Amino acid sequence: MNSEQKHKLNRSLKSRHITMIAIGGAIGTGLFLGSGSAIHAAGPSIILSYLIVGIFIFFMMRALGELLLEDTSRVSVMDSIRIYLGDRWEFVAGWMYWACWLTLAMTDLTATGIYLRYWFPSLPQWAGPLIIVVTLMLINMINVGLFGELESWFSTIKVLAIVSLIAVGAVLIIMHAHVSGRAVSLGNLVNNGGFFPTGLSGFILSFQMVVFAFVGIEMVGLTAGETKNPQKDIPKAINTLPVRIGLFYIGSMMALMSIYPWFHVKATSSPFVQVFAAIGIPFAAGILNFVVLTSAMSATNSAIFSTSRSLYALARSDNAPKRFKQLSPQAVPTKALTFSTLILFINVVLNYIIPSGFFEIISSISTITFVFTWLFILFAHVKYRKAHPAGNESFKMPGYPLTSWATIIFFLAVLVILLFIQATRIPMILTTIVFILLAAGYSMTKKAKVNK
């Protein structure tokens, strides 16, 4: 291996891996567990919320794709942020992204301990997260192809769960079946208080819940340096987003509320379990427990990958210690991966000594930080198009500049909405403080290097 190869990631991710990573990013635990509170807040209008947010997510991903394909030799989208927004903003975006994936993984790891105890009641709460972290770290150490393979299987399980629900719903509608004494019908979407039963306020407030369901979808932007055929695979993964959003989110919500009227959906438990149990499917709770365990493991697996690649990209730009850009013979940034994974071990201790309320705040900060990351991508894309008005002819952002600015305004509006919601007000303020501290910290870091 020559010196040039030593500093390059290995392009081992296949087309199937990239597609399934994108799907996995689009389907999170938020859909299986969090959609109950979203339905409870907005009723059937949540379908329109998913459609609107899905459109803006698609535009953000198209902007990401155009940035990635401008120069496929770049490691990740963080390189594009540095080039078009400057070194300071790569520092801020990179470290925020690294931190938000770690905190998200901590909350998901805490959940895995609960899910595993469903089958193993005597298993200590800390044991499950410990076993999962060690296993996933070792898998990620081997090579990036194995990470892609594991993520493909995780995504497949989530897809099968959603497709099963939609298929069952379609059959029940066609058969004019009754569930819990009520007719299964698309009319349930409008016959129980109308399409906007909680009013315009409920509809608007649902956007923050729906946006959070998509966190992690931008992870494709970190695979650019390890994708076998980026010019073909990245556009394919992004262009199929509308179909996935329509099928997985809109399709599942329509099926759920056609089978089970929205006002009967409890916000405190998974609507998938509620519906499967109402239909009479045996072992519904056990099946869903397996699915959400898979989803939580997928999020942790993605976190280990994302944080290691973020640190690697930061180190290449001298915004993180140089040791984090060292690669193993298998072209894996093992030191960056080990450092990030070791921090996840703190979760075992925190899970024991810190109240659950703290984890709720941390998880909210994490998801808000993803919105900040999306805005960095969009602003970098705007600067790119100003420097290159013709854009990327092979994969151009549709409707630029109108779509770019509309998407930026939409995500900024979501952040403003968060300030008016009691549960997210403190996390929003804390995230803004972290943003400011990182921006100030960059100057101090560079000053210290100059003084050396």
Side-chain angles (χ1 to χ4, degrees):
M1 182 179 288
N2 58 42
S3 59
E4 181 67 22
Q5 289 174 313
K6 286 181 181 178
H7 297 287
K8 282 189 176 182
L9 296 170
N10 192 3
R11 294 188 178 274
S12 301
L13 292 176
K14 302 174 184 177
S15 176
R16 174 173 55 86
H17 294 151
I18 298 302
T19 299
M20 297 309 288
I21 287 171
I23 290 175
I27 308 172
T29 310
L31 176 61
F32 296 110
L33 294 177
S35 56
S37 58
I39 293 172
H40 189 76
S45 66
I46 195 70
I47 295 171
L48 184 58
S49 299
Y50 276 115
L51 177 61
I52 293 172
V53 174
I55 289 171
F56 287 113
I57 288 289
F58 173 67
F59 286 136
M60 183 275 294
M61 291 296 289
R62 283 297 300 250
L64 171 64
E66 189 170 12
L67 284 173
L68 292 177
L69 295 176
E70 181 210 357
D71 184 354
T72 56
S73 67
R74 292 175 190 164
V75 173
S76 74
V77 70
M78 293 300 164
D79 290 340
S80 298
I81 291 174
R82 183 186 71 255
I83 292 168
Y84 294 109
L85 298 183
D87 195 54
R88 177 190 298 272
W89 298 118
E90 187 215 14
F91 177 88
V92 174
W95 281 108
M96 283 188 79
Y97 195 63
W98 176 80
C100 74
W101 266 112
L102 280 180
T103 52
L104 186 65
M106 284 185 178
T107 56
D108 275 297
L109 275 172
T110 300
T112 60
I114 298 170
Y115 302 149
L116 285 171
R117 291 179 72 179
Y118 176 84
W119 294 297
F120 310 102
S122 60
L123 188 71
Q125 175 67 32
W126 55 266
L130 180 62
I131 294 167
I132 288 171
V133 167
V134 171
T135 303
L136 293 178
M137 181 183 72
L138 293 176
I139 289 172
N140 275 267
M141 284 284 190
I142 297 173
N143 61 59
V144 71
L146 196 55
F147 156 78
E149 200 63 41
L150 187 62
E151 198 59 30
S152 294
W153 281 103
F154 284 153
S155 298
T156 300
I157 292 169
K158 291 187 282 188
V159 169
L160 287 175
I162 296 173
V163 171
S164 297
L165 172 69
I166 295 172
V168 169
V171 171
L172 293 176
I173 291 171
I174 293 171
M175 293 176 62
H176 303 288
H178 285 70
V179 174
S180 299
R182 302 179 185 88
V184 177
S185 169
L186 288 171
N188 287 331
L189 301 176
V190 293
N191 292 339
N192 299 295
F195 194 70
F196 296 89
T198 60
L200 185 61
S201 60
F203 172 65
I204 292 175
L205 291 177
S206 71
F207 279 107
Q208 58 96 7
M209 302 178 210
V210 173
V211 166
F212 292 164
F214 287 98
V215 297
I217 197 170
E218 76 301 317
M219 194 178 70
V220 171
L222 294 177
T223 66
E226 296 170 270
T227 305
K228 187 168 289 186
N229 190 352
Q231 292 286 0
K232 176 185 175 183
D233 298 339
I234 290 176
K236 179 182 175 182
I238 293 173
N239 283 336
T240 54
L241 264 177
V243 176
R244 294 200 297 270
I245 291 169
L247 176 63
F248 301 143
Y249 284 94
I250 298 173
S252 62
M253 291 300 103
M254 289 180 69
L256 279 169
M257 287 179 281
S258 294
I259 298 170
Y260 211 63
W262 73 271
F263 54 86
H264 285 292
V265 175
K266 297 177 182 177
T268 54
S269 62
S270 167
F272 282 71
V273 168
Q274 295 173 55
V275 170
F276 283 143
I279 294 170
I281 294 178
F283 313 115
I287 294 170
L288 200 280
N289 192 72
F290 175 71
V291 172
V292 293
L293 173 62
T294 299
S295 184
M297 290 178 65
S298 174
T300 306
N301 191 41
S302 297
I304 292 173
F305 173 85
S306 299
T307 51
S308 63
R309 271 53 179 185
S310 295
L311 273 185
Y312 173 74
L314 285 166
R316 281 169 55 95
S317 304
D318 293 327
N319 284 320
K322 292 182 180 180
R323 64 180 179 274
F324 292 141
K325 69 179 179 180
Q326 295 178 17
L327 300 177
S328 70
Q330 291 75 35
V332 173
T334 49
K335 291 191 175 181
L337 192 151
T338 302
F339 177 75
S340 296
T341 308
L342 285 174
I343 292 179
L344 288 180
F345 284 110
I346 298 174
N347 177 75
V348 178
V349 179
L350 293 179
N351 194 47
Y352 178 75
I353 64 174
I354 296 180
S356 60
F358 178 78
F359 275 102
E360 290 174 6
I361 293 175
I362 289 296
S363 62
S364 294
I365 291 174
S366 175
T367 47
I368 292 168
T369 308
F370 277 102
V371 180
F372 274 81
T373 301
W374 297 344
L375 286 168
F376 275 119
I377 292 169
L378 288 161
F379 280 118
H381 178 260
V382 169
K383 290 293 292 289
Y384 158 70
R385 287 300 296 266
K386 285 183 178 178
H388 307 279
N392 188 323
E393 293 299 331
S394 64
F395 197 68
K396 190 180 293 186
M397 172 74 155
Y400 176 87
L402 180 61
T403 50
S404 293
W405 284 109
T407 307
I408 288 171
I409 291 169
F410 175 77
F411 286 131
L412 287 174
V414 169
L415 293 178
V416 171
I417 290 173
L418 297 178
L419 288 172
F420 292 91
I421 301 173
Q422 185 175 356
T424 55
R425 187 179 298 124
I426 293 177
M428 181 63 207
I429 293 171
L430 290 175
T431 304
T432 304
I433 292 173
V434 170
F435 178 87
I436 295 170
L437 290 175
L438 280 172
Y442 170 82
S443 299
M444 291 187 287
T445 301
K446 293 301 177 184
K447 187 177 179 180
K449 286 183 179 179
V450 171
N451 291 336
K452 274 187 177 181

